Amino acid sequence: MENPVIIFGANALGQAAKEIFESNDIIVYGYLDDNKDLHGKELGELSVMGRTDDDGHLKLIGKKCEAFIAVDDRALRKGIVKLLKERRKMMPVNAIHSNTEIAPTAHVGHGEFINSGVVIGANAKIGDHCMINSNALVDYSAELGDLVQVGAGSVIGAEAKLGDNVFVGSGVTIVPGIKIGKNVRIGAGSVIIADVDAGKTMFGNPAKEV
């Protein structure tokens, strides 16, 4: 990546993304955020330049700058993705820490946040706009849908399949071959040993619906 990056979201996630880009010697131009109280302020050495829909800064994206979306809220995240696709005809870039291990045969989508120590195995598939936190493992041939969040230290077993919008808390183990439906939430420290239907919330070892 040659162009500097504008980060959408001047929050803790945005600041973590800044450090990820800097770990790869990529320049961050600044932040955009819809919180008016932050506008004009500096976070570290970077300023919060304006709103996420500010035309003056959006026009730079795709020409002089790239964009990364650092927003936890899925609905807002999807809205900003739509904004970039409609007004700038582009997708957000990935923030992948330099201290990660991604197999050459793995497929990684657009707009990913992949933090330090993550391992993604051979032939694994990661959908768009996922968040994979520190030291998580996505083992070989596992599949993550779009907008999946994986907590720190979690293990997604080989050939497991997670649908869109799945939330996996920290320290979760999903055993190999398990299928997880869309919009499932899995509490921290849980162990998933059986398939989970869409929309359920799971917790415990072994995990049960709550």
Side-chain angles (χ1 to χ4, degrees), residues 54 176 179:
D54 186 303
K179 294 179 175 60

Side-chain angles (χ1 to χ4, degrees), residues 148-197:
V148 171
Q149 184 169 337
V150 179
S154 290
V155 175
I156 312 299
E159 299 183 307
K161 295 184 179 181
L162 280 62
D164 297 343
N165 298 311
V166 170
F167 173 87
V168 178
S170 300
V172 169
T173 299
I174 298 175
V175 302
I178 291 297
K179 294 179 175 60
I180 308 290
K182 295 181 179 180
N183 303 310
V184 166
R185 298 182 63 83
I186 302 171
S190 298
V191 178
I192 304 294
I193 62 172
D195 293 351
V196 180
D197 293 334

Side-chain angles (χ1 to χ4, degrees), residues 184-187 190 192 196 200-204 207-210:
V184 166
R185 298 182 63 83
I186 302 171
S190 298
I192 304 294
V196 180
K200 290 189 175 182
T201 298
M202 308 293 291
F203 183 74
K208 297 181 180 179
E209 185 178 5
V210 296

Side-chain angles (χ1 to χ4, degrees), residues 41-166:
K41 294 185 177 181
E42 291 195 355
L43 299 177
E45 69 279 15
L46 295 180
S47 63
V48 183
M49 302 179 295
R51 292 177 53 83
T52 56
D53 58 357
D54 186 303
D55 279 326
H57 295 102
L58 284 177
K59 68 182 182 183
L60 299 174
I61 295 170
K63 294 182 179 179
K64 297 181 179 179
C65 293
E66 306 291 344
F68 178 76
I69 302 172
V71 176
D72 282 325
D73 184 274
R74 289 190 181 98
L76 181 55
R77 194 177 181 92
K78 290 171 73 174
I80 297 174
V81 171
K82 183 179 178 182
L83 176 75
L84 290 175
K85 290 171 71 174
E86 290 180 351
R87 291 169 62 174
R88 302 308 307 158
K89 310 301 182 187
M90 63 167 293
M91 291 283 279
V93 295
N94 294 327
I96 300 176
H97 200 284
S98 59
N99 183 30
T100 61
E101 183 178 337
I102 300 177
T105 54
H107 171 81
V108 175
H110 298 280
E112 320 285 23
F113 175 92
I114 302 178
N115 214 342
S116 176
V118 169
V119 176
I120 299 177
N123 296 306
K125 295 180 180 180
I126 311 298
D128 295 332
H129 318 300
C130 293
M131 294 175 56
I132 306 177
N133 289 293
S134 301
N135 300 315
L137 167 64
V138 181
D139 213 343
Y140 67 87
S141 297
E143 297 183 14
L144 274 59
D146 296 339
L147 294 160
V148 171
Q149 184 169 337
V150 179
S154 290
V155 175
I156 312 299
E159 299 183 307
K161 295 184 179 181
L162 280 62
D164 297 343
N165 298 311
V166 170

